[in-house]
C-alpha cells in the first residue's frame, strides 16, 4: 500500500492552502494529516457479514460494537421518560437532551449563541420545516437550487412562486448581481439551496456561496435565505460552523450518515434567521405554553428557543440519547472527523484509481467515471464517493440491473440507479428532459430494470466510503469488478449450429416433465408413463396457484422468499386434492402438510378477493384468495410471512397473467427472420417465475398463453463442468425450474450443449413447440431447491460464460403450437417422459 511521501504531501497541502478553496471559512480547505495506518480497522463491527463489502452511505451504517454496547448498557441502567412531564425520568430526559443538543452543536464547532439545533427525523424533515416556514411568509417565496441538489431539496420548489435550477455559472452570475428572479416582485423572499457535497459524485461546492449571495442580496431589496445540505459532506468531513457570518442560514444533515446509529437528523438554524419561522402556523404538542380551544381559540407559543417551537410532539428521546453515545464512541474510535476524512479520501482515491485502470483485453476501459479523482494531490478535493457506469468490450453500456444481480450475489453492497440526484444524473449522463419523459412513458421507473434506454444509461453505480470502510473492502470490490466485468477476450459468440435440414430427428428424448402448481414453490414431477396435457396456457396445473402477501397484494417469489422451495406440492388426482408438504431441512418433527381441493368451488374463496387485485412481477392479476385460515396459516407459518393462497381464474390468463415476459434475445435474432403472428398480441408472458424485470415486451404469445421452459441437459452438463473447473459444486436440472428437460439418447452423440440457443422449435412426441427465446436469469437460480439455501452457483459461472449483451441466459422458452386437423393430437395434446424429441432448425411449420 503506497501512501503519499510526506514531503510531497505537505507541499501539496501548502499549495492548496494558498489557493482559494472556498470552504466554510472562505479561505482554505483544511487538509488533515495522513493517518498512520489508514487501512487498519480498529473497530469491531457487529452487523456486517464476513465476506460482504458495504459501500453505501459512506459505509457508516455498519455498526460499531462499542457503540451498541455502550448504548445498551445505558438503556439497561437508566430510565428515560417522555420529556414533557415533571417526573424524574422525564426531567432526566429533558436535561440530557439539552446537553446533547449543545454537545452536537459543539461537534460542528457551532456556537450556541449563534445557532440553534432542531432535532428532526432526517435531513429531509429539516428541509420540510424550512419550506413550511417559507410558504407561510406573507408574500411567499421564490426558490432556487443548485443542480447537484438531492431530490429532497428539489421538492422545495413546489410551494414556491417561482423556481429555478442553477448550475455553477448560474450561481456565479447571481453572486455578480444577476438575480434569477429579477422579474418577480421583490416582496417575496428568496431561498437558495445547495449541497456542500454532491452525494452522487462527491463533488464539493463552495460554502462561501452563502455569504456571497447574502452580500449581493443586501444590495437589493429582496430578502434572501440560504439552505445548505450538509448530509453528504458531514458524513466523512468536519462540518465547521465556527464562523457564523459565513454560514448558511439553515443547515440540514442526517446523523446516521456520520455515526451509523441512531437514525435522527438535525436542522441547524442561524439565530439571525429565526424570524422566518415566526409565520409558521401549525403548532404541535410541546411547542406551546398555553392553548385555548373551548369557546375561544388562541395559543401562546414557547418563545425562548426556536427548537422549542419546532419540535412538535414527543422527541425521539431514546434516539437522542444514542447520539451522545455515538459522539463518545466516534471520538474514541476515530479521534476526529479530520482523520475520518483523510482515511476515506485515501481509500476513495485507491478505489478510483483501481477502477480507472481496469481495461478489457482489447484496451477499452471498463468504467466510465463520473467522479473527479478524490486524491487531493491531483485535483481539488472531492468527497470519498466514486460513481461510474460499466462499459463492455464493445463499448456498450452494462445494465445496472445485471450488475446488481452479481453484486448482491457476491455481497457487494453499493447503490445503483438515480440516487435521488436528478440534476447530477441528468448532467453526468447527458439526459435531456424530453429523453427522461420518453423513458418514463416507455416504462422506465426508478428502481426498475430497463436501465439502458436508447443507448444511454439511466443511472449510475455509486460506491461511497466511510469511517468504517477498510482497504480490504476496496480490494475486494476491485477484485469483484475484475472478475466479472473485465472481458479478456472477445465476447463469447452465440452458438450457431451448422446448417442442417429444416427438421432433423435428433437423438433426443424427454428426460423430465415438471409442473409448479404453486408459483415459485417446489415442482411436481410428472411420473414416468403418465401422459400430461398441454393446455393453451401451458402445461396442465402449472402455476395454477400463487401465494399473495396480505399487505401489499404482491405475489411472493423465491427470489425474496427462498423458503418457498421447501413447500412441496403433490397433485393427487384420486382424492382430488393438492397436498402441500413442508419440512425444514434437518427437522423431522416439523413435518406438516395441508390439503387443498383441486376443484375450484366458489365457497372456498374469500368473497372480497374479487375486488383486490394482486401483482405478479409488476403486472395486475385477479386471482381469488382462499378464505380458509387453516390453508392460509399453513403457508404463513411455513414462510414466516403474512400471506394467503390464491388461485387463478379458469380459462387461461386473460388479462390476469400468471407469468410474465419472454422474448427472442438479440443475440439469437439475427440468425433468422421470424414470421410475425397475426392479430393483436398482448405483452409477452414469462419465464416461469425467474426474473421480475420488466423487459422490452415482445409480441409473441396469444392472450391466454404462457411459455414453457425447456432445459437441455447437455447444457447443464457443460455448465457443471465449468462450475467444477472453477472449484464450485455442480447443480441439478431442477435449479433452473424447467418444465421440460430433454437429454440425448444413451450412447448417441446427441446435440451439443447450448445448441438450443439457435433452434427454431422442437417436436416432442406428436406435438410441436415453437421457441420464443432464451430465458433471462437472475440470482433466483442460486436458491438450492432442496435446502432453500442461497449459494453463489450457478449464477456466478453463468455470469462468466453465458452473458450476452450484459444479460445472463439459460434455457429456452417455448410455446405449444396447436396441431391442425381434428385428430387426438390436436384435441387433447399430451406429452410424456421418454417421448422422442426432434429439432426444427429453421422454418418452423
Ligand atoms: C442522504 C442525503 C439526503 C437525505 O437525507 P435523509 O436523512 O434521507 O432525509 C439529502 N441530501 C444529501 C446530500 C444526502 O446525502
Amino acid at each position: 500500500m503506497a501512501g503519499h511521501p510526506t514531503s510531497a504531501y505537505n507541499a501539496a497541502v501548502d499549495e492548496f492552502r494558498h489557493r482559494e478553496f472556498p470552504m466554510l471559512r472562505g479561505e482554505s480547505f483544511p487538509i488533515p494529516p495522513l493517518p498512520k495506518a489508514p487501512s487498519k480497522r480498529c473497530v469491531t463491527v457487529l452487523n456486517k457479514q464476513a465476506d460482504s463489502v458495504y459501500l453505501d452511505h459512506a459505509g457508516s451504517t455498519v455498526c460499531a460494537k462499542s457503540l451498541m454496547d455502550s448504548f445498551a448498557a445505558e438503556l439497561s441502567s437508566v430510565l428515560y421518560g417522555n420529556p414533557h412531564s415533571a417526573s424524574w425520568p422525564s426531567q432526566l430526559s429533558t436535561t440530557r437532551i439539552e446537553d446533547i443538543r449543545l454537545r452536537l452543536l459543539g461537534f460542528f464547532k457551532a456556537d450556541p449563541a449563534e445557532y440553534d439545533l432542531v432535532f428532526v427525523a432526517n435531513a429531509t424533515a429539516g428541509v420540510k420545516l424550512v419550506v413550511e416556514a417559507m410558504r407561510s411568509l406573507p408574500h411567499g417565496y421564490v426558490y432556487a437550487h443548485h443542480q447537484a441538489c438531492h431530490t429532497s431539496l428539489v421538492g422545495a420548489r413546489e410551494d414556491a412562486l417561482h423556481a429555478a435550477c442553477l448550475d455553477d455559472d448560474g450561481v456565479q452570475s447571481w453572486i455578480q448581481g444577476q438575480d434569477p428572479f429579477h422579474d418577480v416582485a421583490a416582496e417575496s423572499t428568496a431561498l437558495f439551496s445547495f449541497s456542500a457535497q454532491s452525494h452522487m459524485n462527491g463533488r464539493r461546492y463552495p460554502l462561501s456561496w452563502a455569504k456571497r449571495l447574502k452580500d449581493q442580496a443586501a444590495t437589493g431589496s429582496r430578502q434572501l435565505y440560504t439552505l445548505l445540505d450538509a448530509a453528504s459532506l458531514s458524513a466523512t468531513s468536519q462540518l465547521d460552523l465556527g464562523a457564523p457570518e459565513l454560514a448558511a442560514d439553515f443547515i440540514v444533515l442526517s446523523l446516521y450518515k456520520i455515526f451509523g446509529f441512531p437514525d435522527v437528523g438535525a436542522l441547524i438554524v442561524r439565530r439571525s434567521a429565526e424570524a422566518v419561522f415566526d409565520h409558521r402556523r401549525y403548532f404541535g404538542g410541546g411547542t406551546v405554553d398555553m392553548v385555548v380551544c373551548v369557546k375561544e381559540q388562541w395559543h401562546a407559543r414557547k418563545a425562548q428557543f426556536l427548537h422549542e417551537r419546532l419540535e412538535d410532539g414527543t422527541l425521539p428521546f431514546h434516539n437522542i440519547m444514542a447520539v451522545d453515545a455515538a459522539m463518545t464512541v466516534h471520538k474514541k474510535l476515530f479521534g476526529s472527523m479530520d482523520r475520518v476524512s483523510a482515511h476515506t479520501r485515501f481509500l476513495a482515491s485507491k478505489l478510483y484509481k483501481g477502477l480507472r485502470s481496469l481495461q478489457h483485453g482489447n484496451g477499452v476501459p471498463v468504467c466510465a467515471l463520473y467522479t473527479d479523482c478524490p486524491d487531493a494531490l491531483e485535483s481539488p478535493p472531492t468527497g470519498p464517493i466514486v460513481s461510474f457506469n460499466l462499459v463492455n468490450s464493445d463499448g456498450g453500456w452494462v445494465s445496472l440491473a445485471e450488475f446488481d444481480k452479481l453484486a448482491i450475489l457476491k455481497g457487494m453492497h453499493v447503490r445503483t440507479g438515480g440516487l435521488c440526484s436528478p440534476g447530477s444524473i441528468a448532467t453526468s449522463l447527458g439526459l435531456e428532459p424530453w429523453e427522461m419523459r420518453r423513458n418514463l412513458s416507455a416504462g422506465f421507473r426508478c428502481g426498475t430494470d430497463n436501465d439502458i434506454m436508447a443507448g444511454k444509461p439511466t443511472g449510475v453505480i455509486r460506491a461511497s466510503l466511510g469511517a468504517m470502510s477498510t482497504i480490504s473492502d476496496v480490494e475486494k470490490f476491485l477484485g469483484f469488478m475484475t472478475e466479472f466485468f473485465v472481458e479478456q477476450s472477445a465476447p463469447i459468440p452465440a452458438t450457431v449450429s451448422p446448417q442442417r435440414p429444416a427438421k432433423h430427428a435428433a437423438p433426443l428424448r424427454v428426460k423430465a416433465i415438471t409442473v409448479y402448481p404453486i408459483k415459485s414453490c417446489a415442482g411436481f414431477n410428472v411420473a414416468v408413463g403418465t401422459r400430461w396435457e398441454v393446455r393453451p396456457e401451458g402445461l396442465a396445473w402449472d402455476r395454477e396457484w400463487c401465494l399473495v402477501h396480505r399487505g401489499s397484494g404482491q405475489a411472493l417469489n423465491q427470489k425474496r422468499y427462498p423458503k418457498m422451495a421447501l413447500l412441496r406440492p403433490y397433485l393427487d388426482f384420486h382424492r382430488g386434492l393438492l397436498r402441500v408438504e413442508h419440512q425444514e431441512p434437518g427437522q423431522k418433527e416439523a413435518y406438516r402438510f395441508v390439503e387443498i381441493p383441486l376443484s375450484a368451488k366458489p365457497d372456498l374463496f374469500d368473497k372480497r378477493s374479487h375486488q383486490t387485485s394482486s401483482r405478479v412481477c409488476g403486472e395486475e392479476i385477479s386471482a381469488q384468495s382462499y378464505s380458509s385460515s387453516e390453508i392460509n396459516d399453513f403457508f404463513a407459518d411455513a414462510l414466516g410471512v403474512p400471506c394467503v393462497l390464491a388461485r387463478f381464474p379458469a380459462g387461461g390468463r386473460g388479462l390476469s397473467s400468471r407469468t410474465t415476459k419472454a422474448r427472442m434475445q438479440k443475440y439469437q435474432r439475427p440468425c433468422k427472420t421470424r414470421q410475425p403472428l397475426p392479430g393483436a398480441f398482448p405483452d409477452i408472458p414469462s419465464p416461469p417465475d425467474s426474473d421480475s424485470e420488466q423487459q422490452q415486451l415482445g409480441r409473441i404469445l396469444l392472450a391466454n398463453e404462457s411459455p414453457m421452459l425447456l432445459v437441455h441437459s447437455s447444457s447443464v452438463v457443460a455448465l457443471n463442468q465449468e462450475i467444477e473447473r472453477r472449484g464450485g459444486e455442480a447443480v441439478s436440472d431442477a435449479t433452473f425450474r424447467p418444465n421440460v428437460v430433454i437429454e440425448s439418447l444413451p450412447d448417441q452423440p446427441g446435440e451439443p450443449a447450448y445448441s438450443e440457443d439457435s433452434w427454431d422449435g422442437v417436436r416432442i412426441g406428436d406435438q410441436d413447440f415453437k421457441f420464443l427465446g432464451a430465458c433471462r436469469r437472475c440470482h433466483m437460480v442460486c436458491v438450492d431447491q432442496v435446502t432453500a439455501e442461497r449459494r453463489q452457483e450457478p449464477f456466478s459461472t453463468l455470469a462468466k460464460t453465458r452473458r450476452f449483451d450484459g444479460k445472463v441466459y439459460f434455457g429456452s422458452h417455448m410455446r405449444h403450437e396447436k396441431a391442425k386437423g381434428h385428430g387426438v393430437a390436436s384435441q387433447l395434446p399430451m406429452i410424456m417422459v421418454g417421448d422422442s424429441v426432434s429439432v426444427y432448425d429453421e422454418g418452423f411449420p
Side-chain angles (χ1 to χ4, degrees):
M1 171 199 80
H4 307 294
T6 316
S7 57
Y9 184 76
N10 283 339
V13 171
D14 273 342
E15 200 203 357
F16 277 110
R17 291 233 162 99
H18 289 101
R19 270 201 233 160
E20 198 208 23
F21 269 123
M23 296 305 287
L24 195 61
R25 289 174 184 286
E27 329 131 355
S28 70
F29 178 75
I31 293 180
L34 253 187
K36 286 202 186 67
S39 64
K40 199 157 159 273
R41 191 203 298 284
C42 48
V43 184
T44 312
V45 165
L46 274 184
N47 54 354
K48 202 178 138 180
Q49 284 170 344
D51 287 333
S52 71
V53 169
Y54 193 93
L55 296 175
D56 188 9
H57 276 319
S60 56
T61 30
V62 178
C63 267
K65 182 173 186 314
S66 37
L67 170 52
M68 299 325 281
D69 284 350
S70 92
F71 186 51
E74 181 177 345
L75 282 198
S76 41
S77 58
V78 189
L79 176 65
Y80 291 114
N82 170 334
H84 295 298
S85 76
S87 71
W88 161 236
S90 172
Q91 289 299 306
L92 178 63
S93 295
T94 308
T95 47
R96 289 271 286 128
I97 288 170
E98 291 321 306
D99 293 350
I100 294 165
R101 194 187 306 277
L102 211 68
R103 186 173 178 198
L104 196 54
L105 280 169
F107 189 84
F108 302 116
K109 305 190 195 289
D111 178 353
E114 297 285 350
Y115 300 91
D116 197 355
L117 184 147
V118 182
F119 284 111
V120 285
N122 47 36
T124 303
V127 174
K128 286 169 78 177
L129 271 181
V130 174
V131 169
E132 187 194 22
M134 298 299 296
R135 177 172 59 201
S136 309
L137 293 175
H139 300 286
Y141 72 109
V142 291
Y143 182 62
H145 66 85
H146 183 258
Q147 77 180 12
C149 275
H150 190 274
T151 298
S152 293
L153 286 102
V154 177
R157 70 182 181 202
E158 298 295 307
D159 275 320
L161 302 171
H162 284 270
C165 169
L166 306 178
D167 58 11
D168 295 8
D169 291 343
V171 179
Q172 285 305 334
S173 321
W174 194 359
I175 288 170
Q176 280 148 25
Q178 276 186 26
D179 182 349
F181 304 108
H182 56 87
D183 47 1
V184 184
E187 301 95 73
S188 59
T189 305
L191 177 66
F192 172 66
S193 298
F194 66 111
S195 235
Q197 171 178 301
S198 159
H199 58 292
M200 184 267 183
N201 57 19
R203 187 167 301 153
R204 292 190 178 163
Y205 295 93
L207 302 188
S208 63
W209 277 352
K211 170 158 172 42
R212 291 159 76 188
L213 278 174
K214 271 218 117 94
D215 289 349
Q216 170 54 37
T219 66
S221 51
R222 189 191 304 284
Q223 171 89 324
L224 172 96
Y225 291 97
T226 52
L227 166 58
L228 177 72
D229 177 1
S232 182
L233 178 90
S234 63
T236 52
S237 301
Q238 175 70 56
L239 170 68
D240 184 341
L241 301 177
E245 66 285 2
L246 303 177
D249 296 302
F250 317 109
I251 297 140
V252 292
L253 46 91
S254 253
L255 297 180
Y256 83 88
K257 290 191 189 171
I258 309 175
F259 305 117
F261 178 82
D263 313 334
V264 205
L267 164 67
I268 302 177
V269 179
R270 262 176 79 187
R271 300 221 158 200
S272 59
E274 282 183 1
V276 168
F277 295 94
D278 291 348
H279 300 275
R280 180 178 187 248
R281 286 194 274 271
Y282 178 81
F283 59 87
T287 65
V288 282
D289 282 329
M290 180 169 289
V291 179
V292 174
C293 62
V294 183
K295 292 187 182 155
E296 280 181 44
Q297 301 201 333
W298 56 270
H299 64 279
R301 289 185 193 266
K302 288 191 174 168
Q304 196 184 354
F305 293 107
L306 180 67
H307 67 255
E308 291 176 334
R309 287 192 274 142
L310 296 187
E311 288 169 348
D312 295 311
T314 306
L315 278 171
F317 55 100
H318 291 108
N319 280 353
I320 295 172
M321 301 309 155
V323 172
D324 198 30
M327 282 188 282
T328 303
V329 170
H330 193 275
K331 181 148 187 59
K332 204 169 84 204
L333 294 179
F334 307 118
S336 68
M337 283 311 286
D338 287 342
R339 287 193 51 199
V340 171
S341 170
H343 170 70
T344 51
R345 176 162 324 142
F346 173 85
L347 295 182
S349 66
K350 189 173 170 67
L351 175 61
Y352 177 91
K353 289 173 181 167
L355 291 175
R356 190 178 55 187
S357 67
L358 294 181
Q359 280 189 353
H360 295 294
N362 61 4
V364 172
V366 175
C367 297
L369 288 143
Y370 305 117
T371 296
D372 296 327
C373 180
D375 193 329
L377 285 173
E378 292 186 8
S379 66
T382 292
I385 294 172
V386 184
S387 56
F388 57 97
N389 258 307
L390 288 168
V391 176
N392 63 30
S393 58
D394 290 334
W397 299 107
V398 174
S399 142
L400 294 185
E402 299 302 322
F403 168 84
D404 270 345
K405 288 175 190 170
L406 277 166
I408 291 166
L409 190 70
K410 292 288 175 182
M412 299 289 142
H413 306 297
V414 292
R415 182 81 178 266
T416 59
L419 315 178
C420 283
S421 190
S424 299
I425 289 284
T427 34
S428 296
L429 304 178
L431 289 169
E432 298 296 332
W434 64 265
E435 288 180 293
M436 299 184 74
R437 205 172 268 277
R438 178 199 59 196
N439 293 351
L440 186 76
S441 359
F444 171 78
R445 298 289 182 276
C446 273
T448 56
D449 287 0
N450 268 343
D451 49 38
I452 310 277
M453 302 204 85
K456 284 184 186 180
T458 51
V460 303
I461 302 166
R462 179 188 71 186
S464 40
L465 286 308
M468 303 287 270
S469 307
T470 62
I471 203 148
S472 98
D473 290 340
V474 170
E475 281 162 356
K476 279 187 200 158
F477 186 69
L478 288 171
F480 161 73
M481 297 292 294
T482 310
E483 182 177 359
F484 288 98
F485 299 101
V486 176
E487 295 162 23
Q488 285 312 343
S489 48
I492 312 125
T495 323
V496 181
S497 44
Q499 279 299 313
R500 271 178 302 198
K503 177 181 159 210
H504 66 279
L508 293 169
R509 67 177 176 195
V510 174
K511 179 183 179 190
I513 299 174
T514 309
V515 291
Y516 302 85
I518 308 176
K519 186 182 151 61
S520 248
C521 292
F524 171 77
N525 290 320
V526 173
V528 174
T530 303
R531 300 182 68 75
W532 202 260
E533 189 185 349
V534 184
R535 300 171 60 88
E537 67 269 21
L539 288 176
W541 302 102
D542 195 36
R543 279 93 180 183
E544 184 76 23
W545 290 268
C546 66
L547 294 168
V548 174
H549 194 280
R550 268 187 199 274
S552 66
Q554 293 272 359
L556 306 187
N557 64 41
Q558 231 182 71
K559 190 154 64 166
R560 181 155 313 160
Y561 303 105
K563 283 195 172 170
M564 292 178 86
L566 301 177
L567 288 165
R568 303 206 161 85
Y570 297 92
L571 289 160
D572 182 344
F573 296 112
H574 290 297
R575 295 169 60 224
L577 292 171
L578 172 72
R579 178 187 169 96
V580 184
E581 300 182 352
H582 175 255
Q583 187 173 10
E584 295 280 337
Q587 295 183 6
K588 279 220 164 52
E589 64 286 2
Y591 171 84
R592 293 181 60 213
F593 68 89
V594 71
E595 290 177 333
I596 299 141
L598 290 179
S599 80
K601 284 189 307 223
D603 61 345
L604 293 169
F605 298 102
D606 185 343
K607 304 287 170 295
R608 294 160 306 165
S609 76
H610 285 289
Q611 284 109 47
T612 56
S613 57
S614 357
R615 298 183 81 78
V616 176
C617 298
E619 277 181 48
E620 261 332 272
I621 55 164
S622 53
Q624 286 183 293
S625 29
Y626 280 76
S627 53
S628 151
S629 52
E630 187 206 340
I631 294 176
N632 293 332
D633 290 353
F634 170 83
F635 291 103
D637 290 349
L639 298 176
V641 177
C643 64
V644 295
L645 182 71
R647 186 164 185 172
F648 289 97
R653 302 172 315 116
L655 280 177
S656 41
S657 106
R658 55 187 74 187
T659 48
T660 38
K661 80 258 139 166
R663 67 175 175 132
M664 193 50 60
Q665 302 306 336
K666 241 192 279 166
Y667 77 93
Q668 302 175 303
R669 251 174 293 163
C671 332
K672 351 197 133 101
T673 43
R674 284 175 198 267
Q675 200 71 36
L677 285 158
F681 302 111
D683 289 343
I684 270 309
S686 80
D689 26 23
S690 51
D691 300 26
S692 60
E693 58 239 34
Q694 298 169 5
Q695 294 183 169
Q696 179 68 45
L697 301 161
R699 307 258 169 204
I700 300 172
L701 290 161
L702 292 162
N704 58 354
E705 288 177 333
S706 145
M708 279 166 255
L709 181 67
L710 175 137
V711 159
H712 182 195
S713 71
S714 306
S715 305
V716 180
V717 170
L719 176 67
N720 278 334
Q721 284 167 353
E722 261 321 301
I723 292 176
E724 285 174 339
R725 200 172 64 73
R726 289 159 201 266
E729 253 180 63
V731 299
S732 65
D733 297 339
T735 295
F736 303 99
R737 299 179 58 81
N739 291 115
V740 176
V741 182
I742 56 168
E743 64 179 354
S744 304
L745 294 174
D747 310 320
Q748 302 266 345
E751 293 286 301
Y754 304 121
S755 54
E756 68 274 19
D757 287 350
S758 61
W759 298 349
D760 206 23
V762 286
R763 166 164 283 225
I764 299 177
D766 54 7
Q767 299 298 322
D768 284 331
F769 295 84
K770 179 165 178 66
F771 273 33
L772 302 174
C775 176
R776 184 169 169 193
R777 295 298 183 163
C778 67
H779 47 276
M780 188 171 137
V781 289
C782 294
V783 177
D784 184 318
Q785 296 296 304
V786 175
T787 62
E789 273 162 22
R790 289 190 174 105
R791 345 151 261 201
Q792 299 212 339
E793 295 294 0
F795 196 76
S796 207
T797 298
L798 279 175
K800 290 175 183 154
T801 56
R802 294 280 303 163
R803 200 142 49 113
F804 305 95
D805 203 9
K807 296 163 192 143
V808 171
Y809 297 102
F810 194 88
S812 295
H813 290 296
M814 61 186 192
R815 173 192 66 195
H816 179 237
E817 289 285 292
K818 207 166 158 22
K820 294 178 189 71
H822 306 284
V824 182
S826 79
Q827 286 178 345
L828 186 59
M830 303 261 224
I831 57 173
M832 67 188 266
V833 174
D835 272 352
S836 69
V837 176
S838 46
V839 170
Y840 292 104
D841 283 314
E842 199 138 1
F844 190 78

